[in-house]
Amino acid sequence: MDVALVLHNIRSSHNAGSIFRTADATGVSRIVLVGYTPGPLDQYGTLRPDFGKVSLGAEQTVPHERAETFEAAVAKLKTDEYTVVGVELDKNAIPLFQYKPPSDAKIALVLGNEVNGLSKEELMLCDAVVEIPMKGMKESLNVSVAAGVALYGLLRNSAGEAVSL
């Protein structure tokens, strides 16, 4: 399975760097940075120290690109035949462990801002929306943790292994 990530308006370099590291570990084919999501390099072309501290060089192993808008990122991925899957709490979301993509699928997981997530308009551009089941009192995870759970869950789901919570 080919998996790409879209990071939309992620505020923290630590979160973005951590996601790059997890993307390397899970074999993500590319990351699309959208909005004000920080990339690995600052305006002078130097590795951001806070990014590099957590990415540990993954910015060199995971291809990444920038899209001007969320709409442009999604349109390009769909042109490249990706199924765009938002990760968000939503009344229409499918629990992550029930989402079963084919093993030969091209999936683009979309993660949104740490506070606001993805808007209703952005979710409407997605082909599917999945949510990570939560058992505690909190309704969300840190975005970098959510990326890891979603990536490993998606990989496991596509392999056809049973998952229960």
Side-chain angles (χ1 to χ4, degrees), residues 46-75:
T46 304
L47 179 64
R48 296 174 194 269
D50 49 352
F51 193 105
K53 179 180 180 179
V54 291
S55 71
L56 294 178
E59 71 282 350
Q60 297 172 22
T61 60
V62 180
H64 53 281
E65 60 200 63
R66 184 162 292 281
E68 288 299 315
T69 66
F70 183 78
E71 295 79 8
V74 169

Side-chain angles (χ1 to χ4, degrees), residues 99-163:
Y99 181 71
K100 304 286 185 205
S103 60
D104 63 346
K106 292 173 74 172
I107 304 291
L109 279 180
V110 181
L111 297 151
N113 177 271
E114 292 93 334
V115 175
N116 300 316
L118 297 168
S119 71
K120 295 292 181 195
E121 295 79 19
E122 291 156 352
L123 291 174
M124 290 177 63
L125 294 175
C126 296
D127 299 306
V129 179
V130 298
E131 66 182 16
I132 298 168
M134 305 293 288
K135 289 191 171 207
M137 298 300 293
K138 298 298 176 188
E139 293 183 344
S140 66
L141 296 168
N142 173 280
V143 68
S144 66
V145 173
V149 170
L151 284 166
Y152 278 103
L154 185 65
L155 293 173
R156 186 169 185 187
N157 291 356
S158 73
E161 297 179 31
V163 179

